[in-house]
């Protein structure tokens, strides 16, 4: 369910209107507060919270359709920032690359589902929420923005996933909950699996999956627009370099 504020914000975003009664300054970075700033300001962790909400909703639906044991959170793809897995690379070779200290950090997808597209293959998904109203995309249609975001994800992860016998699918939504083309296909496949498992009509499950994923996106939009970006912990925490500082705490040695 959505509260009245979430519904009004979602409706105005869907039809490209500015939400009402927004603040004039960002409480996180102090910059001028606008719709574009609200959707992209990473201070306070609200952007990460939106990403996690979309990911967890797809994980929940995936477990419902395919079973808990076939859904993996944050599967590993390859190691090294900007490193692509070479043709014919094996999982063992990738693990050795990580063990010997390959520069950068390991790349992970957001979700992996065994048997999503084919029974013999694992599908890896990576989530992105794009803002078609951002200054970078002005003059372009929302569909073209979502298509570009899907291409960027595919260019980055498709070949490394293929090298380790996995299929990659981008999960791209607009800030109003509109899915990209490949994302819509993934929703249809998910709905088909749910219809077969729950013995429901396919059309009913397609509508249900789309509603759930759309709601996961647009409910977070209100948090990004109106939520606090002030850190939960104000001030600094003492750095305890060794155990000497703990002697001042009563009862710690008991």
């Amino acid at each position: 369910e959505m509260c009245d504020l979430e519904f009004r914000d979602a409706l105005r975003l869907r039809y490209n209107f500015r939400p009402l009664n927004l603040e004039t300054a960002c409480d996180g970075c102090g910059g001028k507060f606008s719709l574009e700033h609200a959707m992209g300001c990473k201070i306070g962790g609200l952007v990460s919270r939106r990403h996690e909400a979309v990911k967890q909703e797809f994980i929940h639906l995936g477990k419902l359709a395919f079973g808990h044991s076939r859904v993996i959170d944050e599967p590993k793809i390859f190691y090294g920032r900007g490193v692509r897995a070479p043709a014919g690379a094996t999982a063992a070779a990738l693990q050795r690359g990580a063990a010997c200290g390959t520069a950068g950090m390991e790349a992970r997808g957001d979700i992996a589902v065994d048997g999503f597209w084919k029974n013999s293959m694992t599908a890896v998904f990576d989530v992105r929420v794009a803002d078609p109203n951002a200054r970078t995309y002005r003059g372009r249609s929302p569909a073209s923005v979502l298509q570009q975001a899907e291409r960027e994800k595919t260019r980055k992860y498709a070949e490394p996933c293929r090298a380790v016998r996995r299929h990659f699918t981008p999960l791209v939504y607009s800030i109003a909950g509109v899915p990209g083309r490949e994302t819509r296909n993934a929703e249809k496949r998910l709905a088909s699996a749910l219809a077969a498992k729950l013995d429901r009509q396919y059309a009913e499950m397609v509508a249900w999956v789309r509603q759930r994923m759309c709601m996961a996106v647009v409910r977070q939009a209100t948090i990004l627009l109106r939520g606090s970006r002030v850190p939960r912990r104000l001030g600094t925490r003492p750095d305890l370099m060794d155990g000497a500082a703990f002697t001042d705490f009563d009862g710690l040695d008991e």
Side-chain angles (χ1 to χ4, degrees):
E1 296 182 358
M2 299 177 70
C3 69
D4 55 347
L5 184 60
E6 291 172 336
F7 179 78
R8 286 195 297 268
D9 286 343
L11 195 62
R12 295 186 73 86
L13 288 175
R14 190 64 177 255
Y15 291 99
N16 201 21
F17 290 110
R18 177 183 169 87
L20 301 175
N21 303 320
L22 295 182
E23 299 294 334
T24 57
C26 177
D27 61 338
C29 65
K32 183 179 179 181
F33 198 74
S34 63
L35 176 59
E36 180 180 353
H37 185 91
M39 294 298 113
C41 182
K42 296 183 179 180
I43 294 179
L46 300 186
V47 172
S48 298
R49 177 175 172 175
R50 176 182 62 187
H51 182 278
E52 187 69 15
V54 177
K55 183 186 81 170
Q56 291 301 329
E57 184 63 33
F58 195 86
I59 287 177
H60 171 72
L61 295 176
K63 288 180 177 180
L64 186 61
F66 296 96
H68 287 246
S69 63
R70 296 173 69 178
V71 180
I72 305 168
D73 189 358
E74 294 192 354
K76 296 177 182 178
I77 298 179
F78 65 93
Y79 292 89
R81 186 179 293 109
V83 177
R84 291 181 178 274
T90 63
L94 295 176
Q95 293 285 356
R96 286 197 299 271
C100 68
T102 302
M105 299 176 64
E106 62 185 25
R108 296 172 180 262
D110 286 318
I111 310 148
V113 182
D114 293 335
F116 188 89
W117 297 109
K118 297 179 181 179
N119 289 333
S120 58
M121 185 173 288
T122 299
V124 176
F125 302 88
D126 202 67
V127 175
R128 178 174 175 180
V129 180
D131 181 8
N133 300 317
R135 191 173 307 171
T136 308
Y137 303 127
R138 283 181 182 172
R140 298 179 54 184
S141 66
S144 68
V145 173
L146 296 177
Q147 187 177 14
Q148 177 184 334
E150 288 184 330
R151 283 199 303 265
E152 290 173 355
K153 285 286 187 184
T154 301
R155 193 181 306 118
K156 184 176 181 181
Y157 292 125
E159 188 60 33
C161 284
R162 193 178 299 114
V164 291
R165 312 298 189 270
R166 290 180 172 183
H167 182 277
F168 177 75
T169 302
L171 291 178
V172 177
Y173 292 89
S174 74
I175 58 174
V178 178
R181 183 176 61 85
E182 293 191 52
T183 306
R184 192 178 295 273
N185 291 336
E187 290 179 345
K188 290 178 180 178
R189 173 66 186 114
L190 190 57
S192 177
L194 285 168
K197 184 173 183 179
L198 303 178
D199 194 23
R200 307 295 289 267
Q201 292 293 322
Y202 169 72
E204 177 188 359
M205 299 314 298
V206 166
W208 186 67
V209 169
R210 288 179 179 172
Q211 289 170 4
R212 290 290 298 262
M213 293 306 301
C214 181
M215 291 273 284
V217 178
V218 299
R219 294 188 72 174
Q220 295 301 311
T222 296
I223 295 175
L224 284 162
L225 289 167
R226 308 182 190 281
S228 174
R229 288 178 166 83
V230 176
R232 294 184 180 181
R233 293 181 180 272
L234 299 178
T236 59
R237 299 178 62 187
D239 294 328
L240 304 181
M241 304 303 295
D242 53 38
F246 287 106
T247 59
D248 294 334
F249 292 92
D250 295 332
L252 192 64
D253 297 328
E254 296 179 3

